[in-house]
Amino acid sequence: MSLATFLNKINPRLKKANYTISALLIIILFFVLMVHLSKEVSDLDIWLHLKSGEQMVLYKQILLNDPFSFTKESQPWINHEWLFQILTYTFYNKFGFDGLILMQNIVFIAIFIIIFVMGLRNRNFLFVSAMLFILLLNLSYRFTIRPDMFSALFLVLFILILKEKSKSRYLYLLPFLQIIWTNLHGFFLLGPLVIFIFALTQKNKRLWLVLITSLLATIINPQLIKGAFYPFVTLSQLFKDKFILNFVQELEKPFGLKTLFNLKDWIFYKALIIISLFSFRFNQKRFNRTLFLLWLIFFLLSLSAIRNIVYFAIVATIVIFYNANERFSYDQKLSNEKLTKNKYYYIARLFLILAFSLCMIKNAILNMGCYYYDFDSYKFKSCMWGISPRNFPHKAVDFILKEKLPQQLFNDFNSGSYLIGRSFPLRKVFIDGRTEFYGNNFLKEYKQAAEGDKKTIEGLIDKYKLQGFLLTMCMSNFDEKLAKYLFDNTKWKTVYFNDDAIIFLKNIPENKNIIKKFHIDLKAWHAPKVMIEKLGPKITYPTSFIKRGNVLKEIGCFKAAISEAKEALKIMPNCADAFELLGSCYLALKEYGLALENYRIAVALEPQVLGWRNKFALALYKLGYFREAEMQLYPIIKSRPKDAENYYALALVYRKQNKLKKAENMISRACGYSKNNDFEYLKLWADILLELKDYNKAVRLYKLTQQIEPQNREIREKIRKIEKTL
């Protein structure tokens, strides 16, 4: 029997198998979606939402003034998410944290079902599943329990009604849906925006009526007109002062021109841009200007902020489905005849479905198999369901509540919402995640304090009568400069230190008993001993030890940090971060041989981390291996041509080799690429110019360094000598 005869014989069976496996493909897709949606609760703001919902349910009134902070106490608060907060608290009250995950599953599964139905007209299950999987990968970073998910749901509902039911009575549901959306999330303006796009591009007078009534519907909120205009006020503030755009990570742009073609950054977002744009070319005979305008506006929104990628991804997927449906329906007879008559069609399609199914199953297994080690219980914790203890300073807050620390306690930005959720009404916070409520001026002061500005820190202490500081390390952005200032200041004493936070108390009579009982001398700190017998043979990342070690290093307790790194290596002998920590500490202690030894291992384990290679080169330089240091720095500069630190290191090397012109060239580049006037950079530049006998330029730079450190005697003496020479 020939291959062609065999294929013709089994094609009817393959056709039936294709439909069966296609149905299985959809089941797998939604299973993968549920896996992604069922990860542990880790969002920082959820605690603020839960406590707000609890207060509103308990007292049966909407929060119109801030009850949570002592810095903005009782000031008007436009809480445009009050309905979400009540809904969230209701689920939590009934089912706990798993109830919140269940709510998230319901909302996002509803979104995917609606979009799936939109794409199913051509009955191409493989194509629809592939696009929905790309959508899933684009949305996965925002699979958190936030009011944004309801904005995504309502966006899909609005597009569905406007595209499919614009000539039916369903159109008049939009103003009523708008009322609900307005009280769920501040992105409710997307509703009138979508209606406006359809009204502008279609000949349907009823759309203008629905637009006007939907705009009026936005007034139906607790703050009425103020609430309706609040998003506009917030946007105008962002455009006037872009500080918040840089302060909040989700408001950053996804990429610029330099990273546009970088496949490592936002690859699925970029893929969706290309596919959705190509879909208009694919369906050029039936080009839909409504869909194109909708796509264009949401594309521009996504370019403005990371958080808007979710909305663009939804719109882009819907656009792809409509363009594909119209093209396939236009060429349906022709395409069906050509494809189904091809004897290889069904077997090729079956192979693709099986391959794609395996790809999705692998993705689900990787996500389901996510575990991390809890060094408090010496047990592995699954990343699925429940709450993530590693993302919140639960031990530090337990300590605060148990020991009744002073009320006027500074807390960092990331811990505010958790503090509200755990301690209100017993305690109030300094700051939390409501950036628009606190305003630009307050946030600027907070950031300056976090960056260690002495004047700002002292100003905040006096203004708010601060008696303590809670600085958390659950997230990556620990305020090390503020911690360093407090640690060096004898007025402040450390009373708590662990892998989740460090707490300082003011050394005053009111805090005498707590300080006496809990004071920790971090210079004499020794890492907790690892209980190897409980840990067993499993190798796991030593998170707790690395976190504590890095904090100790930043505040100058190098020997204490070394003890943490050594314990970390008992847990994970090939931990590159531990070797880097050791190298960094030995470099600071001027034990350059040990620094070189540990940095060499760190770089060997993680060669892609170029910052470590810079420190490795610095250790070589300190030991007098100038040529070797130079060879290490060249490839880093080639990879990062605008990294000031590498030019500074190379300038040091050239200076030691007496290549002063080259050294001056390198340090001038370092100062040019440095974001701030760095004292060490300017001083080195001035020193090199002095050696080159360029006295006029040298004295100008020394005077600049003097502005940064007015009390520096060495700089004053050099200026005096140069001026005397001149």
Side-chain angles (χ1 to χ4, degrees):
M1 185 186 293
S2 67
L3 177 62
T5 309
F6 173 73
L7 288 173
N8 287 330
K9 191 173 182 181
I10 65 163
N11 257 346
R13 294 179 183 178
L14 286 173
K15 186 176 179 180
K16 289 181 180 179
N18 261 274
Y19 284 113
T20 305
I21 294 172
S22 294
L24 184 62
L25 183 68
I26 301 302
I27 293 168
I28 293 169
L29 173 69
F30 278 90
F31 172 72
V32 175
L33 175 63
M34 288 176 67
V35 168
H36 278 267
L37 290 169
S38 301
K39 290 183 178 179
E40 60 187 0
V41 177
S42 60
D43 187 69
L44 297 171
D45 290 334
I46 189 61
W47 298 91
L48 169 67
H49 296 312
L50 288 174
K51 185 57 69 172
S52 299
E54 178 195 77
Q55 293 297 301
M56 288 185 281
V57 170
L58 189 63
Y59 295 106
K60 294 180 173 57
Q61 61 181 23
I62 296 166
L63 296 174
L64 300 176
N65 298 89
D66 173 49
F68 299 125
S69 72
F70 63 81
T71 51
K72 298 283 182 179
E73 191 169 9
S74 300
Q75 289 192 18
W77 172 32
I78 298 179
N79 184 12
H80 47 72
E81 297 164 354
W82 68 271
L83 187 57
F84 167 78
Q85 291 163 350
I86 290 174
L87 187 63
T88 303
Y89 174 71
T90 303
F91 269 86
Y92 171 75
N93 197 35
K94 292 286 184 186
F95 309 108
F97 286 106
D98 286 347
L100 300 178
I101 296 170
L102 175 65
M103 180 181 76
Q104 181 179 233
N105 270 269
I106 292 168
V107 173
F108 276 105
I109 288 170
I111 290 168
F112 272 74
I113 287 172
I114 295 167
I115 298 174
F116 170 71
V117 171
M118 287 180 179
L120 208 59
R121 282 184 177 176
N122 58 48
R123 303 189 67 80
N124 192 329
F125 288 92
L126 178 60
F127 171 71
V128 172
S129 299
M131 292 315 307
L132 285 176
F133 186 60
I134 293 173
L135 174 63
L136 187 159
L137 295 172
N138 272 288
L139 266 58
S140 60
Y141 83 102
R142 294 294 286 184
F143 283 160
T144 54
I145 301 152
R146 290 183 168 204
D148 308 48
M149 62 183 178
F150 283 99
S151 281
L153 175 62
F154 277 86
L155 175 64
V156 171
L157 287 171
F158 269 55
I159 294 172
L160 175 68
I161 292 170
L162 288 164
K163 192 75 177 72
E164 301 288 341
K165 306 292 181 181
S166 61
K167 295 181 181 179
S168 71
R169 293 180 181 179
Y170 286 103
L171 187 65
Y172 298 111
L173 281 175
L174 294 182
F176 297 100
L177 291 174
Q178 186 64 60
I179 294 169
I180 301 169
W181 193 351
T182 300
N183 293 283
L184 280 168
H185 189 220
F187 272 45
F188 62 83
L189 284 177
L190 293 180
L193 174 64
V194 172
I195 298 170
F196 173 73
I197 291 167
F198 276 82
L200 190 66
T201 54
Q202 294 184 7
K203 295 177 181 179
N204 187 344
K205 292 181 180 179
R206 292 193 302 173
L207 289 172
W208 291 104
L209 175 63
V210 170
L211 174 61
I212 293 165
T213 52
S214 294
L215 286 168
L216 291 172
T218 62
I219 299 171
I220 304 174
N221 69 83
Q223 282 91 4
L224 302 175
I225 293 175
K226 274 189 178 181
F229 278 90
Y230 187 68
F232 292 108
V233 174
T234 304
L235 284 171
S236 66
Q237 288 175 350
L238 289 175
F239 284 115
K240 283 180 184 176
D241 188 345
K242 296 184 179 180
F243 172 77
I244 291 182
L245 294 176
N246 300 319
F247 185 80
V248 182
Q249 189 177 3
E250 66 181 25
L251 296 179
E252 292 177 358
K253 293 180 179 180
F255 54 77
L257 290 173
K258 293 173 185 176
T259 56
L260 181 62
F261 300 104
N262 187 349
L263 295 179
K264 293 179 182 178
D265 298 327
W266 303 102
I267 183 169
F268 298 110
Y269 167 50
K270 292 173 182 177
L272 205 53
I273 293 169
I274 294 167
I275 297 167
S276 56
L277 189 58
F278 175 76
S279 72
F280 289 106
R281 174 72 178 83
F282 182 67
N283 189 38
Q284 61 180 338
K285 291 180 180 178
R286 295 189 174 187
F287 179 80
N288 190 311
R289 59 179 182 171
T290 304
L291 289 179
F292 182 73
L293 185 59
L294 188 71
W295 179 90
L296 181 62
I297 288 172
F298 277 87
F299 171 60
L300 294 174
L301 284 173
S302 71
L303 290 178
S304 67
I306 290 169
R307 68 181 299 174
N308 297 335
I309 289 175
V310 169
Y311 308 113
F312 168 74
I314 288 169
V315 168
T317 307
I318 292 170
V319 162
I320 290 166
F321 285 160
Y322 275 116
N323 278 329
N325 288 341
E326 288 183 7
R327 174 60 188 265
F328 285 138
S329 64
Y330 182 73
D331 294 333
Q332 191 172 21
K333 287 183 181 179
L334 183 64
S335 60
N336 281 347
E337 285 175 11
K338 281 186 176 181
L339 289 171
T340 54
K341 281 184 179 179
N342 191 317
K343 53 188 171 237
Y344 299 106
Y345 170 72
Y346 288 113
I347 196 166
R349 194 166 185 270
L350 189 63
F351 174 78
L352 285 172
I353 290 172
L354 288 171
F356 182 53
S357 298
L358 288 172
C359 178
M360 289 197 294
I361 290 167
K362 183 181 177 181
N363 181 275
I365 291 168
L366 286 172
N367 281 278
M368 289 172 68
C370 175
Y371 289 87
Y372 58 91
Y373 202 78
D374 181 4
F375 284 95
D376 294 318
S377 62
Y378 277 88
K379 290 180 181 177
F380 279 97
K381 164 78 172 69
S382 170
C383 295
M384 305 297 292
W385 296 91
I387 186 165
S388 172
R390 61 180 174 169
N391 277 42
F392 309 108
H394 59 100
K395 290 175 286 188
V397 174
D398 287 343
F399 176 80
I400 290 168
L401 295 174
K402 184 181 177 183
E403 303 304 329
K404 298 179 180 177
L405 265 56
Q407 291 289 332
Q408 304 301 99
L409 189 75
F410 175 102
N411 62 271
D412 55 34
F413 182 76
N414 288 326
S415 62
S417 294
Y418 182 72
L419 263 174
I420 289 169
R422 284 286 311 278
S423 63
F424 185 83
L426 296 174
R427 306 184 62 86
K428 295 190 177 185
V429 299
F430 180 86
I431 193 173
D432 57 78
R434 296 170 293 167
T435 49
E436 70 281 1
F437 170 68
Y438 286 95
N440 283 0
N441 292 334
F442 184 87
L443 291 172
K444 283 176 183 177
E445 278 192 312
Y446 167 80
K447 190 176 181 183
Q448 286 168 358
E451 291 174 350
D453 185 77
K454 296 176 183 179
K455 188 178 178 181
T456 306
I457 296 167
E458 294 299 333
L460 291 175
I461 290 168
D462 292 338
K463 185 177 180 180
Y464 297 108
K465 311 299 179 191
L466 298 176
Q467 291 189 35
F469 282 78
L470 166 67
L471 306 178
T472 59
M473 54 189 87
C474 296
M475 307 300 286
S476 57
N477 50 340
F478 175 73
D479 299 328
E480 66 272 359
K481 290 182 180 178
L482 176 55
K484 174 67 173 167
Y485 169 82
L486 295 167
F487 177 74
D488 290 339
N489 195 323
T490 55
K491 293 179 183 178
W492 299 90
K493 299 295 179 184
T494 311
V495 294
Y496 176 90
F497 179 63
N498 209 327
D499 60 350
D500 62 339
I502 184 169
I503 299 174
F504 297 93
L505 283 188
K506 196 171 187 179
N507 192 9
I508 54 176
E510 293 95 312
N511 299 329
K512 182 181 177 182
N513 292 334
I514 298 173
I515 291 172
K516 186 178 179 181
K517 186 177 179 182
F518 296 105
H519 177 242
I520 301 169
D521 181 4
L522 290 177
K523 286 186 177 178
W525 174 269
H526 290 284
K529 294 295 178 185
V530 180
M531 298 176 73
I532 301 295
E533 66 278 7
K534 285 192 175 182
L535 190 63
K538 293 180 179 178
I539 292 178
T540 183
Y541 186 80
T543 310
S544 300
F545 297 88
I546 297 298
K547 279 184 178 181
R548 285 193 299 263
N550 279 320
V551 170
L552 290 165
K553 179 194 73 174
E554 294 297 340
I555 62 176
C557 299
F558 301 112
K559 289 183 179 178
I562 287 169
S563 74
E564 291 283 357
K566 286 181 176 178
E567 288 298 315
L569 288 171
K570 290 179 184 178
I571 299 164
M572 186 180 179
N574 63 337
C575 180
D577 289 323
F579 284 110
E580 189 279 331
L581 179 56
L582 284 171
S584 183
C585 291
Y586 285 129
L587 201 60
L589 292 169
K590 298 183 179 180
E591 297 184 30
Y592 302 124
L594 290 170
L596 180 67
E597 181 183 322
N598 284 283
Y599 267 120
R600 190 190 73 82
I601 299 170
V603 170
L605 290 169
E606 299 283 353
Q608 73 277 11
V609 185
L610 298 180
W612 295 359
R613 195 176 288 273
N614 174 286
K615 299 298 182 186
F616 178 52
L618 196 58
L620 286 165
Y621 155 78
K622 292 291 185 181
L623 288 167
Y625 300 115
F626 304 127
R627 181 59 184 163
E628 289 79 3
E630 196 177 336
M631 295 305 293
Q632 288 295 325
L633 289 166
Y634 280 145
I636 312 175
I637 289 172
K638 191 175 180 181
S639 298
R640 291 183 179 177
K642 293 189 178 181
D643 194 332
E645 191 177 20
N646 298 318
Y647 290 108
Y648 171 73
L650 194 53
L652 289 171
V653 173
Y654 282 144
R655 187 189 180 196
K656 280 291 183 181
Q657 292 175 306
N658 207 31
K659 299 175 182 178
L660 296 178
K661 284 288 183 182
K662 284 187 174 183
E664 199 267 336
N665 182 32
M666 289 299 109
I667 194 60
S668 66
R669 290 191 185 186
C671 291
Y673 291 130
S674 179
K675 292 179 181 178
N676 303 307
N677 282 333
D678 189 285
F679 175 82
E680 293 298 330
Y681 290 9
L682 290 172
K683 182 180 176 298
L684 178 62
W685 195 358
D687 288 343
I688 293 168
L689 288 168
L690 184 61
E691 291 173 28
L692 286 166
K693 297 182 180 181
D694 189 345
Y695 299 122
N696 289 317
K697 199 172 179 182
V699 79
R700 286 200 301 271
L701 286 171
Y702 278 131
K703 285 180 178 178
L704 273 176
T705 60
Q706 196 176 36
Q707 290 175 15
I708 301 168
E709 290 192 12
Q711 306 304 318
N712 193 299
R713 290 182 182 179
E714 182 190 354
I715 300 299
R716 282 208 307 267
E717 186 61 26
K718 285 184 177 181
I719 292 170
R720 188 187 66 79
K721 284 183 178 180
I722 294 171
E723 288 178 341
K724 189 177 179 181
T725 304
L726 290 170

